[in-house]
Amino acid sequence: ASSAPPREPPREAVAEDLRRMWEQRVLAARKQQVDQYLATAQDALKRDEAVAAANALRIAASLAPDDPGIAALLEQATVRAGP
């Protein structure tokens, strides 16, 4: 009895797996950046530096534009920072 060599997955499936893995890594990196900017904003608010907090929150909001929590924090920090 001869055994057939193992079948390789189709190239499309391999390409799709690689694309999915890449997207997951990009999303994880973006979340890490957002978390870093949120921490920077919190530190700035503790030091009563509303302008620095607003700047950090603007960057966080650009990285996570669909996050209403970040948008609300940005609005609050912008009001505290003044005109």
Side-chain angles (χ1 to χ4, degrees):
S2 65
S3 72
R7 293 187 65 194
E8 292 185 23
R11 285 185 181 223
E12 295 82 19
V14 172
E16 179 63 25
D17 286 346
L18 288 173
R19 185 189 62 76
R20 192 175 312 115
M21 289 170 48
W22 174 256
E23 286 177 355
Q24 289 173 350
R25 291 185 73 167
V26 168
L27 289 174
R30 183 171 290 148
K31 181 182 179 341
Q32 184 178 13
Q33 286 182 311
V34 168
D35 291 345
Q36 181 181 358
Y37 283 108
L38 289 174
T40 299
Q42 291 295 336
D43 289 344
L45 288 172
K46 288 177 187 175
R47 295 187 311 270
D48 202 29
E49 297 175 2
V51 173
N55 287 336
L57 288 165
R58 275 188 201 93
I59 296 169
S62 73
L63 294 168
D66 297 329
D67 188 319
I70 293 174
L73 289 172
L74 174 57
E75 185 176 339
Q76 291 171 9
T78 302
V79 168
R80 283 180 65 180

